[in-house]
């Protein structure tokens, strides 16, 4: 039987200083990128530290500085293809600034969202990027005092990163109207989310100006359709449908096919988000592209700024959206 061996002991900062022939303070300055150390000396110390396999003790550093070097990212649903891409960009951007990311999925539950915030605060994250489930709830009170950037929702008291949701709703409606559609239905996202309301309200207003809104229903950001949504599609009164998210659009197209109808020959469909599935679906989905990667990177930059200058005025950044025309919309002759 092979004899187990204890893992090699990690080198200490004191050993790095001794091997490099410098003071403990100089070794600390070089490792942490601070203090007054010449560039040649810093490079020498870092080379010795690498040779010894030295790794900073983050727990000790956190106790000394009050910083953990970690930020939290709270998203509502990692099964939605929109969010893994967002999370990846946040992680990459945070890493470039020397931060790790504590990621949690609240699964669309306000209770889980509250639990996630408490856990992050208990772990001492330096800041939080938060994609809220709804516009209200207890999380705002729990997160007070922690630098926070909000994605998607225009919540007061926070730095906010958004897309122009109203413009997206308008673009979707104008595209269908220009294609000759008159009888148009709208499936909006959850009413509790202001971004969902903005998409739907702009689409509905535009449709009513030049067409006929045959119905308006709500659905979760999910492939699975609510009974009222299925009932609206079953009525076969709309030649085109605007949806509040690509997942809803794909669920609607699946339901339309189940009725023996075709997309786009019988019913045209427009989504929102431009998730990877949109262009892979058959037919490829016409949708509103939301620049999620740019938004994620901007959220990290905003949080870094907020963590270093808490007294700055709050900022709201709104990104433009674009319509991506594919195969799910039929032009009526």
């Amino acid at each position: 039987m092979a004899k187990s061996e204890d893992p090699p002991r990690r080198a200490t900062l004191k050993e790095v200083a001794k091997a490099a022939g410098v003071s403990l303070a100089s070794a600390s300055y070089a490792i942490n990128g601070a203090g007054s150390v010449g560039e040649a000396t810093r490079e020498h110390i870092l080379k010795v530290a690498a040779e010894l396999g030295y790794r900073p003790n983050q727990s000790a550093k956190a106790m000394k500085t009050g910083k953990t070097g970690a930020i939290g990212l709270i998203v509502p649903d990692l099964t939605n293809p929109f969010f893994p891409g967002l999370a990846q960009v946040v992680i990459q951007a945070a890493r470039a600034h020397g931060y790790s990311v504590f990621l949690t999925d609240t699964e669309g539950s306000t209770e889980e969202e509250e639990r996630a915030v408490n856990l992050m605060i208990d772990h001492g994250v330096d800041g939080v990027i938060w994609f809220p489930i709804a516009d209200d709830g207890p999380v705002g009170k729990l997160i007070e005092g922690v630098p926070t950037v909000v994605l998607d929702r225009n919540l007061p008291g926070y730095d906010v990163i958004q897309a122009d949701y109203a413009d997206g709703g308008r673009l979707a409606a104008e595209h269908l109207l220009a294609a000759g559609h008159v009888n148009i239905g709208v499936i909006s996202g959850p009413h509790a989310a202001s971004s969902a309301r903005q998409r739907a309200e702009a689409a509905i207003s535009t449709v009513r100006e030049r067409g006929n809104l045959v119905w308006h229903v709500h659905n979760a950001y999910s492939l699975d359709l609510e009974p009222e949504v299925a009932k609206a599609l079953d009525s076969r009164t709309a030649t085109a449908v605007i949806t509040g998210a690509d997942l809803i659009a794909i669920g609607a197209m699946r339901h339309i096919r189940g009725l023996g109808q075709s997309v786009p020959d019988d019913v045209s469909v427009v989504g929102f988000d431009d998730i990877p599935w949109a262009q892979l679906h058959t037919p490829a989905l016409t949708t509103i592209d939301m620049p999620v990667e740019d938004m994620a990177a901007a959220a990290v930059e905003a949080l870094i700024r907020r963590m270093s200058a808490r007294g700055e005025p709050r900022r709201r950044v709104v990104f433009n959206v674009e319509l991506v025309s594919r195969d799910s919309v039929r032009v009526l002759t």
Side-chain angles (χ1 to χ4, degrees):
M1 184 175 178
K3 182 180 179 182
S4 62
E5 296 181 359
D6 292 332
R9 185 178 64 82
R10 188 163 65 179
T12 66
L13 185 61
K14 186 178 292 186
E15 289 169 342
V16 171
K18 182 178 180 181
V22 299
S23 68
L24 185 60
S26 292
S28 177
Y29 291 153
I31 296 294
N32 293 300
S36 179
V37 180
E39 192 57 36
T41 301
R42 187 188 305 276
E43 290 179 3
H44 169 64
I45 294 168
L46 292 176
K47 182 175 182 293
V48 170
E51 291 171 350
L52 293 178
Y54 173 77
R55 295 179 60 191
N57 186 324
Q58 294 298 332
S59 297
K61 183 178 178 181
M63 290 181 65
K64 183 177 181 180
T65 65
K67 304 290 184 181
T68 60
I71 63 174
L73 172 60
I74 305 172
V75 298
D77 184 9
L78 282 172
T79 65
N80 184 333
F82 176 86
F83 290 106
L86 181 148
Q88 184 179 50
V89 175
V90 168
I91 290 169
Q92 291 171 343
R95 185 184 296 137
H97 286 281
Y99 284 87
S100 57
V101 177
F102 182 2
L103 169 64
T104 186
D105 175 1
T106 61
E107 301 178 14
S109 164
T110 53
E111 291 80 10
E112 286 299 324
E113 187 174 53
E114 186 175 347
R115 189 175 294 114
V117 170
N118 278 320
L119 186 61
M120 287 187 177
I121 293 173
D122 288 345
H123 279 75
V125 294
D126 298 333
V128 172
I129 296 174
W130 174 33
F131 199 114
I133 294 170
D135 296 345
D136 53 15
V139 170
K141 291 291 184 184
L142 297 174
I143 216 167
E144 283 181 354
V146 179
T148 301
V149 172
V150 170
L151 276 164
D152 193 62
R153 318 279 195 252
N154 187 21
L155 302 188
Y158 298 97
D159 292 290
V160 172
I161 308 296
Q162 290 184 294
D164 193 338
Y165 306 113
D167 191 47
R170 179 187 60 79
L171 288 172
E174 287 183 344
H175 183 68
L176 291 176
L177 291 164
H181 292 276
V182 176
N183 297 317
I184 300 173
V186 173
I187 309 173
S188 66
H191 186 72
S194 58
S195 57
R197 295 196 302 271
Q198 290 165 12
R199 301 175 197 193
E201 288 167 1
I204 290 168
S205 176
T206 305
V207 168
R208 282 176 169 161
E209 288 175 2
R210 292 154 48 195
N212 177 32
L213 179 72
V214 292
W215 42 257
H216 172 213
V217 290
H218 299 268
N219 204 81
Y221 291 128
S222 170
L223 294 169
D224 300 318
L225 303 183
E226 297 291 332
E228 67 167 354
V229 177
K231 182 179 178 181
L233 293 171
D234 291 347
S235 71
R236 304 178 187 231
T237 53
T239 67
V241 177
I242 298 169
T243 67
D246 289 347
L247 278 186
I248 301 174
I250 293 170
M253 288 193 285
R254 181 174 63 182
H255 187 88
I256 290 166
R257 285 195 301 271
L259 296 174
Q261 293 184 302
S262 168
V263 177
D265 292 341
D266 297 307
V267 184
S268 294
V269 178
V270 178
F272 202 113
D273 291 336
D274 198 20
I275 62 175
W277 293 1
Q279 59 183 319
L280 300 176
H281 190 271
T282 303
L285 179 63
T286 294
T287 187
I288 303 298
D289 175 46
M290 193 160 73
V292 60
E293 293 184 356
D294 292 340
M295 293 171 65
V300 174
E301 293 296 330
L303 184 60
I304 298 297
R305 185 172 58 249
R306 176 58 51 197
M307 290 188 298
S308 62
R310 298 194 182 196
E312 279 193 0
R314 305 294 176 181
R315 300 184 185 183
R316 176 171 173 251
V317 179
V318 180
F319 283 85
N320 293 328
V321 298
E322 295 181 357
L323 182 125
V324 181
S325 179
R326 296 196 179 104
D327 302 328
S328 64
V329 172
R330 177 190 174 194
V331 177
L332 301 182
T333 55

